[in-house]
Amino acid sequence: MTTEPTGGARAWIVWGVAVGGYFLAMLHRNGLGVAALEAQERFDVGPALLSMLPMLQLLIYVLFQIPAGLLADRLGPRYTLAIGIGAMMLGSGLFALAPNAEVAIAGRFLIGLGDALVFLNVIRLAALWFPRARYALVSGLTGVVGGAGQVASAAPLAWALDGFGWTTAFMSVTLLTAAMALLVIVVVRDRPAGAAGRSTVADPIPVWAALKEALAAHGPRVGMAHHAAIMAPFTMLMVLWGYPFLVDGLGLQEGTAAFTLTAVAAGPLWMAPIVGAVIGRSPNVRIGLALTLGSTLTVGWLLMVLWPTGEVPTWLGLAVMGASAVGQTLAPTISFDFARDGIPASRTGVASGLVNMSGFTTAVVCTVAAGAVLQKLPDDPGAFQLAFAPMAVATTVATSVLFLLLLRGRRNA
């Protein structure tokens, strides 16, 4: 008979080490944001080609979500995490030493490959070490640590780049990543000792059967729509276009822009554990939160791209950026808690992979589309309105789908 994990101090230690890997994954993922302008000069590329760096990284991340979910379900979190963090270490080293755009792209490829294996295994460990009622809380805390990684990728990394240079700044991150890979091997275990009956690997079912199982459940479908609506906007901003938008679109000084991006990313972090604790006690709260977040971001992004003056007002740009940061902070707490509904604990990897794929596919497409627009309209602050139009449309569509799914779920309840 399967028993529920009880959590405890050992569970928090295992999760704490694993989530340290997620902190570094977020630092790697978003590190190009504040380095975007310097990367343009270093590799002598324009906005369209520059967008290929994070696009390739995120594309690999998206494409490997299902394989990563299957690997998480079958190999177990410990070794999958170590493989992922090791790949990020190699990619970061290449990126730090890259003499040209081709080598930099290879580095971002490896970072994206490793990144794809990290988050799913952190929340996989949460499912294996903590009781179901704690899952939303642990997911929320995971989001907080990821947000801290985003914060570290903004002003601190910008200061390191300015003070020590490209190679030293990114090689320092590489060394930290190597240490984290070793720590995962030493500390992390797939499940509590003596947890008989709680296998850390899924029952051996075919790939298509696992996908069909996840897509047939209502929870993962809701999680996919929610993740696309509320996670993608700020991801696009942090990965690449937030810093240039603040500098070239809103006219902020570079130092002010780096501080602003840091503050906006850090400001909402306190919300995630509180919302996670509330959801753990009252799961129905998720519905109201999901609809409120989706509606708010839809209105904000539509206002920003449709503002009639031809340029985004500073107050509106900062307000939408702040609301998007709140959405991304709460995305792990809400989206992945939905994804667990109707799915056995041993097969959460595939469902979580689908949810992650929906959000990051949206972010990839909109990041590249923005780069293409900005390439055609250089040195025009108003170009960001047109560049951000795909994200406004994507958020609107995803929120509409979310409303329909939740409405249908209530009718079928």
Side-chain angles (χ1 to χ4, degrees), residues 266-328:
L269 294 182
W270 60 272
M271 298 179 181
I274 295 174
V275 171
V278 171
I279 289 175
R281 293 187 176 91
S282 305
N284 287 336
V285 170
R286 298 177 303 181
I287 297 175
L289 286 170
L291 296 179
T292 300
L293 287 168
S295 300
T296 300
L297 291 186
T298 296
V299 171
W301 280 83
L302 286 175
L303 271 177
M304 189 160 64
V305 301
L306 296 175
W307 197 259
T309 62
E311 291 185 15
V312 180
T314 301
W315 66 267
L316 179 59
L318 294 178
V320 173
M321 186 175 283
S324 300
V326 171
Q328 191 199 56

Side-chain angles (χ1 to χ4, degrees), residues 150-190:
Q150 281 190 327
V151 169
S153 74
L157 184 56
W159 295 330
L161 285 166
D162 184 57
F164 302 103
W166 180 283
T167 300
T168 300
F170 283 110
M171 279 303 296
S172 297
V173 178
T174 302
L175 293 175
L176 283 175
T177 308
M180 182 56 66
L182 180 61
L183 195 59
V184 165
I185 291 294
V186 172
V187 176
V188 172
R189 294 296 180 270
D190 287 343

Side-chain angles (χ1 to χ4, degrees), residues 127-393:
L128 292 165
W129 280 82
F130 293 92
R132 179 67 178 88
R134 288 280 184 90
Y135 186 74
L137 172 61
V138 179
S139 296
L141 291 171
T142 301
V144 170
V145 176
Q150 281 190 327
V151 169
S153 74
L157 184 56
W159 295 330
L161 285 166
D162 184 57
F164 302 103
W166 180 283
T167 300
T168 300
F170 283 110
M171 279 303 296
S172 297
V173 178
T174 302
L175 293 175
L176 283 175
T177 308
M180 182 56 66
L182 180 61
L183 195 59
V184 165
I185 291 294
V186 172
V187 176
V188 172
R189 294 296 180 270
D190 287 343
R191 62 175 179 173
R198 288 203 308 276
S199 175
T200 61
V201 296
D203 300 330
I205 64 174
V207 174
W208 289 112
L211 287 170
K212 184 177 179 181
E213 176 188 55
L215 289 171
H218 180 68
R221 294 201 304 269
V222 173
M224 290 171 69
H226 186 261
H227 214 51
I230 76 162
M231 189 282 298
F234 198 63
T235 297
M236 180 188 74
L237 295 174
M238 284 300 295
V239 161
L240 188 61
W241 296 123
Y243 185 76
F245 171 58
L246 290 172
V247 174
D248 296 333
L250 300 184
L252 302 185
Q253 296 296 317
E254 291 187 2
T256 303
F259 177 79
T260 300
L261 201 58
T262 301
V264 169
L269 294 182
W270 60 272
M271 298 179 181
I274 295 174
V275 171
V278 171
I279 289 175
R281 293 187 176 91
S282 305
N284 287 336
V285 170
R286 298 177 303 181
I287 297 175
L289 286 170
L291 296 179
T292 300
L293 287 168
S295 300
T296 300
L297 291 186
T298 296
V299 171
W301 280 83
L302 286 175
L303 271 177
M304 189 160 64
V305 301
L306 296 175
W307 197 259
T309 62
E311 291 185 15
V312 180
T314 301
W315 66 267
L316 179 59
L318 294 178
V320 173
M321 186 175 283
S324 300
V326 171
Q328 191 199 56
T329 298
L330 297 182
T333 309
I334 302 172
S335 301
F336 292 97
D337 198 69
F338 274 125
R340 281 205 64 184
D341 291 352
I343 299 294
S346 62
R347 286 197 289 271
T348 54
V350 173
S352 298
L354 287 169
V355 170
N356 234 10
M357 180 180 284
S358 70
F360 281 98
T361 298
T362 305
V364 166
V365 172
C366 294
T367 297
V368 175
V373 171
L374 293 172
Q375 178 76 21
K376 291 184 178 297
L377 298 171
D379 304 320
D380 180 1
F384 281 96
Q385 273 193 294
L386 186 57
F388 288 165
M391 182 57 75
V393 172

